[in-house]
Amino acid sequence: MADQGGSQHGIARTSRVRTEEQKKRDLERIKKYRELEDQVRSHVSRGDYSPSVFQLTSKLLRLNPEYYTIWNTIGWVIMLDGVLEYFSYRHYNTIFHQLLVIVVGHDPARPRVPDSWEECAPDASGVRKDNNIEAATAAAAAAEQQDLSTIKTELNFTIPLLLESPKCYWIWSYRLWILQQAIQRLRSPLARQIWEEELGLASKMLGKDRRNFHAWGYRRHVVAQLESATLQGSSMVEAEFAYTERMINTDLSNFSAWHSRSKLIPRLLEERGADDAARRAFLDEELNKIREALNVGPEDQSLWYYHQFLVLNLVYPDKHPAMTRGLTTQDRVAYLRREVDEIKDLLEDYTDVKLIYEGLFEYTLYLCQLEGRQPDTGERADLVAWLGKLKRLDPMRNGRWADLERELGLKEGGGEE
Amino acid sequence: MPQNFDQLPEELQLATSAHVKYVQSLDTRKDEYDYWLTEHLRLNGLYWGLTSLHLLGRPDALPRAETIDFVLSCQHDSGGFGAAPGHDAHMLSTVSAVQILAMVDAFDELETRGKGKAQVGKYIASLQNPQTGTFAGDEWGEEDTRFLYGAFNALSLLGLLHLVDVEKAINHIAACANFDGGYGVSPGAESHAGQIFTCVAALTIAGRQDLVDKGRLGRWLSERQIAGGGLNGRPEKKEDVCYSWWVLSSLEMIGKTHWIDKDQLIAFILRCQDPERGGISDRPGDMVDVWHTVFGLAGLSLLQYPGLQPVDEVYCMPKSTTARVLGR
Ligand SMILES: [Zn+2]
């Protein structure tokens, strides 16, 4: 199972011996912590989800944000009707807000954690204006304006927190909840504007950590919302494709961006209404692009993975028809032959890069597969030579090279199988 | 690798007794603040610790009766288990509870003193999304293929896999597959070693390895080993003992463990141990924890390091346990 809280990543080992002073301090903290925990539990066991429990759970979460049962308690508080009546929407919002501050508020460099519940109340904060959308006298437009400003304030507030803790599940979850409020409370052009800005945030996060797969997943989610009828959306596949282009131009080694590109292509061509010729031209462009990249960085796995993706399109057109529709087998053989030749040219500049030999080996076998034949004598000699290079350059994977050698009957000195 | 432990050079010696002591000490640290802050992981921690001890050949190093009492004290009427008494039920702690009870051979006590196997199965089955076949971690609904694997793991140990829609779950896994042979966290997401483990293990439990592109996946997995011998979780990322396990166990499931350099991986894991105070860390010189300890030991066991009990690559438990429970 992927990462768990409680496990240590990247924290330097120290002697685990504590001083008497530290021991004493630990015992005091434990006493406080457990007393607080007992209080929360005694309320919950009585079925008491009153506002005072909020304060206790907030305190407890300030000490231990990973305490999932306490988050659940808060979920219960919010779901119970009585409480929703008690709190206005704005208060309800603020509770989430305060909890959020608490969760991420351990670091002195971060915004200061409020000391009391009152400090978080809308009136005291100064920034947050009272939002009394129920007021019958307020004009609808004014109410919407106010909602908009509240939503924007909340969203802006979390940005520095997210930049600091990009993997904190609760911040993302809070943001999504606010964004959902935008859909429910604002006319769709306004809600749409909010979600469009959210896409900007996803870009900002990915600018900071280009391989963060949580952020890539979040981006896919935001795009899906923006494309939905609820937000009067339409396809964004062109824009997203252009985004992968920008990410790749910034950093050729960003496999996450290449991956995203591979997933967008079928839809992109479909929506362009591309005919066979246009699809072929598209394939040519992709191949040119990745070839140019390989010329500069033949040691980069990310590039080879994308090249493999394109080659697989040629070898298995039934599975990947988007770029290869209308290509005859001869066409595909010609394409593949050209790739093999281009990679052979790389050997002039790079003699010790194992990925080049691996590519040549794999694609030569595909060529034979496409033509429904065994390797000829020249190819066989090449395969043997490349495998020898692979064994020498990449002994870590000798087991794999030995399997290939055996399966293909390439043992030096051995004849045809 | 010699079969006899004593013949190994010092840097390749496993600090067995230090590791046993380390795991035993984990529950005696009640005067440390962190002990209380990690209570939400107590049952998972017990599973990681107990598995470590079983693999080290010291299954009795934690008292059996107290272990069972503690596990049963975490169970709710719903059948699910919380991380500790007073904590809400969650898929991950429920899976750990089932695995612990399997290891100490105490399913009968689950019947007589707990809520019974059937109720546990019902709880897990209730977390499946009937439309998509995926599983949530608890009633609050976060979905991830980790939970799908957890459900298959525990239900198969209980002999109750028929309680869920296996086919729908399998279709969901198939939708997470990528051109490189790997699997992502959801359809459309890039391949990731942790997700590959959960998807391939779930497919193995369901008897559907035919859906795995073994050659291509094996190649992707073998390329995770980098200079220094450790394995990373995605291309161009750093190596880590826990990722080494996800990759290695997946390779084992598809019969391609020999596609990496085993001796270099053994040496990497051993460089991550704290030979004096016990425990294993993510990378050499970092703080140890029970999570990296169990995955380090499980990795060494799969690599047939001398003196360790054989580990089951699908369940991350001793093979002797899965053989007994699954009758194979
Ligand atoms: Zn790790």
Side-chain angles (χ1 to χ4, degrees):
Chain A
M1 282 162 226
D3 231 349
Q4 291 276 337
S7 62
Q8 314 273 357
H9 278 112
I11 300 169
R13 195 175 291 167
T14 54
S15 80
R16 289 172 231 155
V17 184
R18 292 176 298 165
T19 64
E20 282 309 309
E21 184 64 26
Q22 283 168 327
K23 279 187 194 167
K24 214 180 125 210
R25 210 173 53 217
D26 261 10
L27 288 175
E28 281 163 14
R29 290 165 84 193
I30 291 168
K31 185 166 170 281
K32 265 182 144 172
Y33 178 80
R34 301 205 63 201
E35 277 171 6
L36 190 55
E37 192 183 7
D38 283 346
Q39 283 180 29
V40 172
R41 287 200 180 164
S42 79
H43 279 275
V44 172
S45 66
R46 291 199 305 271
D48 171 8
Y49 291 103
S50 65
S52 65
V53 183
F54 260 130
Q55 296 180 48
L56 295 171
T57 52
S58 314
K59 262 193 190 165
L60 189 52
L61 284 168
R62 185 187 301 204
L63 296 174
N64 186 5
E66 297 278 357
Y67 202 149
Y68 73 90
T69 302
I70 301 304
W71 284 107
N72 291 353
T73 303
I74 287 164
W76 281 118
V77 177
I78 285 157
M79 276 162 55
L80 289 178
D81 291 335
V83 180
L84 282 184
E85 275 163 33
Y86 183 88
F87 287 104
S88 74
Y89 159 69
R90 193 66 196 88
H91 280 97
Y92 168 34
N93 207 342
T94 306
I95 290 152
F96 267 100
H97 170 224
Q98 188 199 16
L99 291 172
L100 183 73
V101 175
I102 288 162
V103 168
V104 292
H106 293 289
D107 185 333
R110 290 173 177 150
R112 191 177 64 85
V113 176
D115 293 325
S116 71
W117 183 248
E118 286 68 31
E119 246 185 276
C120 276
D123 299 335
S125 76
V127 185
R128 292 147 211 289
K129 294 177 185 120
D130 194 11
N131 181 355
N132 191 1
I133 60 155
E134 292 90 5
T137 52
E144 184 178 59
Q145 221 32 58
Q146 206 147 29
D147 271 346
L148 180 64
S149 102
T150 303
I151 286 167
K152 280 191 167 169
T153 309
E154 295 299 316
L155 291 175
N156 284 338
F157 172 75
T158 59
I159 287 174
L161 306 176
L162 280 171
L163 289 172
E164 192 116 18
S165 314
K167 285 174 188 170
C168 179
Y169 172 77
W170 290 102
I171 310 177
W172 290 112
S173 149
Y174 172 69
R175 268 193 93 80
L176 281 176
W177 185 78
I178 295 285
L179 288 163
Q180 216 47 51
Q181 297 302 310
I183 290 178
Q184 280 163 24
R185 292 174 171 274
L186 306 175
R187 277 172 300 126
S188 55
L190 278 177
R192 183 165 180 85
Q193 198 189 320
I194 299 277
W195 278 86
E196 271 166 3
E197 281 167 26
E198 194 61 9
L199 194 60
L201 175 85
S203 302
K204 202 167 173 180
M205 298 299 300
L206 287 172
K208 198 178 149 70
D209 179 2
R210 297 166 191 155
R211 299 290 308 280
N212 182 338
F213 72 92
H214 296 286
W216 278 99
Y218 190 71
R219 184 179 185 93
R220 275 194 299 276
H221 177 79
V222 172
V223 167
Q225 294 288 324
L226 280 171
E227 288 178 327
S228 72
T230 323
L231 290 178
Q232 295 177 333
S234 57
S235 171
M236 291 174 61
V237 70
E238 290 284 354
E240 282 307 283
F241 190 74
Y243 177 74
T244 68
E245 182 93 20
R246 284 202 300 282
M247 291 299 273
I248 289 164
N249 290 342
T250 314
D251 172 15
L252 279 175
S253 187
N254 186 345
F255 180 70
S256 303
W258 289 109
H259 166 86
S260 177
R261 195 172 178 89
S262 78
K263 292 282 176 183
L264 290 167
I265 288 173
R267 241 184 87 200
L268 182 82
L269 292 176
E270 207 48 50
E271 290 180 14
R272 282 183 184 175
D275 61 10
D276 290 358
R279 286 167 193 263
R280 187 172 177 153
F282 188 91
L283 175 64
D284 290 340
E285 245 176 74
E286 288 304 286
L287 283 169
N288 282 337
K289 186 177 180 65
I290 196 70
R291 245 189 261 115
E292 269 169 37
L294 282 172
N295 269 323
V296 190
E299 276 142 338
D300 192 330
Q301 278 191 355
S302 307
L303 303 180
W304 284 102
Y305 280 124
Y306 191 70
H307 194 266
Q308 264 176 40
F309 165 73
L310 295 176
V311 167
L312 286 175
N313 278 260
L314 291 166
V315 181
Y316 300 103
D318 296 343
K319 223 173 151 188
H320 308 277
M323 285 178 277
T324 50
R325 219 179 62 185
L327 291 187
T328 64
T329 304
Q330 277 115 315
D331 292 335
R332 291 186 284 119
V333 167
Y335 265 101
L336 200 49
R337 204 173 282 287
R338 163 142 194 229
E339 289 314 300
V340 171
D341 290 343
E342 296 273 354
I343 297 169
K344 278 183 184 163
D345 286 350
L346 282 177
L347 288 176
E348 285 167 22
D349 295 321
Y350 308 95
T351 50
D352 279 345
V353 178
K354 77 120 181 176
L355 291 170
I356 297 179
Y357 297 103
E358 200 176 351
L360 286 172
F361 191 92
E362 183 187 17
Y363 299 161
T364 301
L365 290 173
Y366 282 147
L367 204 54
C368 300
Q369 185 184 322
L370 271 185
E371 295 189 311
R373 60 175 179 84
Q374 293 294 312
D376 62 30
T377 317
E379 286 169 337
R380 232 185 111 74
D382 281 343
L383 290 171
V384 170
W386 294 330
L387 201 54
K389 282 279 190 187
L390 285 168
K391 285 195 230 168
R392 192 173 63 73
L393 293 171
D394 187 19
M396 258 186 181
R397 277 154 281 266
N398 264 336
R400 189 168 160 238
W401 312 135
D403 277 4
L404 285 173
E405 188 172 58
R406 194 174 33 75
E407 281 164 25
L408 298 165
L410 292 176
K411 202 116 194 120
E412 274 167 85
E416 295 277 342
E417 264 186 327
Chain B
M1 180 115 318
Q3 282 316 293
N4 197 336
F5 193 73
D6 303 334
Q7 295 163 3
L8 292 167
E10 203 185 312
E11 70 272 17
L12 289 181
Q13 299 263 348
L14 181 68
T16 303
S17 59
H19 296 318
V20 172
K21 279 207 199 88
Y22 167 71
V23 174
Q24 284 177 318
S25 77
L26 290 172
D27 205 50
T28 62
R29 299 185 173 184
K30 297 183 183 165
D31 64 339
E32 290 179 25
Y33 190 49
D34 278 353
Y35 176 90
W36 298 99
L37 290 190
T38 54
E39 198 178 55
H40 64 284
L41 288 170
R42 195 69 79 233
L43 210 45
N44 308 70
L46 182 54
Y47 155 70
W48 297 326
L50 192 63
T51 305
S52 302
L53 293 171
H54 275 250
L55 296 179
L56 287 163
R58 293 289 310 278
D60 302 323
L62 288 180
R64 180 176 183 272
E66 283 177 35
T67 300
I68 298 169
D69 289 346
F70 176 74
V71 171
L72 294 178
S73 74
C74 299
Q75 197 175 22
H76 291 249
D77 289 338
S78 65
F81 291 78
H87 288 245
D88 286 356
H90 192 281
M91 172 74 88
L92 295 181
S93 33
T94 303
V95 176
S96 289
V98 171
Q99 289 184 288
I100 295 164
L101 293 175
M103 267 190 280
V104 300
D105 195 7
F107 280 169
D108 53 341
E109 305 225 20
L110 179 59
E111 289 313 309
T112 53
R113 293 163 53 208
K115 315 290 175 206
K117 277 187 189 181
Q119 193 66 17
V120 180
K122 216 171 120 185
Y123 169 77
I124 296 174
S126 76
L127 294 172
Q128 187 175 31
N129 179 330
Q131 270 83 49
T132 62
T134 54
F135 284 80
D138 58 21
E139 63 205 279
W140 302 91
E142 187 197 356
E143 287 177 358
D144 186 317
T145 46
R146 278 188 303 156
F147 306 137
L148 193 161
Y149 161 71
F152 275 29
N153 177 323
L155 288 174
S156 60
L157 290 173
L158 294 168
L160 296 173
L161 201 53
H162 60 271
L163 293 182
V164 294
D165 190 335
V166 174
E167 205 187 320
K168 266 218 168 104
I170 298 297
N171 290 341
H172 176 74
I173 295 178
C176 296
N178 288 318
F179 77 87
D180 50 26
Y183 296 83
V185 63
S186 55
E190 74 175 284
S191 299
H192 178 285
Q195 302 302 326
I196 290 172
F197 168 80
T198 61
C199 291
V200 176
L203 290 172
T204 305
I205 291 171
R208 292 304 309 276
Q209 268 205 11
D210 59 296
L211 294 175
V212 180
D213 184 347
K214 292 180 191 167
R216 200 159 293 283
L217 175 61
R219 172 178 174 178
W220 189 91
L221 290 168
S222 71
E223 278 159 355
R224 304 283 60 78
Q225 188 166 39
I226 58 180
L231 277 58
N232 62 17
R234 281 189 290 158
E236 320 290 343
K237 288 275 188 177
K238 274 189 190 164
E239 72 281 26
D240 182 333
V241 162
C242 68
Y243 281 108
S244 299
W245 163 257
W246 312 130
V247 173
L248 180 67
S249 57
S250 303
L251 281 168
E252 179 78 10
M253 284 185 252
I254 61 170
K256 308 264 186 246
T257 308
H258 61 291
W259 282 13
I260 59 166
D261 188 321
K262 299 183 192 184
D263 288 344
Q264 285 207 41
L265 179 54
I266 289 174
F268 168 75
I269 297 173
L270 290 171
R271 280 201 306 278
C272 294
Q273 66 178 341
D274 182 336
E276 277 88 45
R277 292 173 297 253
I280 299 174
S281 54
D282 60 344
R283 272 191 280 282
D286 282 354
M287 197 72 130
V288 303
D289 59 69
V290 67
W291 158 269
H292 288 99
T293 303
V294 67
F295 295 126
L297 292 171
L300 290 173
S301 165
L302 258 190
L303 295 162
Q304 292 170 348
Y305 186 89
L308 288 173
Q309 297 301 304
V311 69
D312 186 306
E313 66 278 9
V314 176
Y315 290 86
C316 192
M317 289 161 75
K319 266 203 162 127
S320 55
T321 300
T322 51
R324 170 170 45 75
V325 175
L326 300 170
R328 57 181 193 205

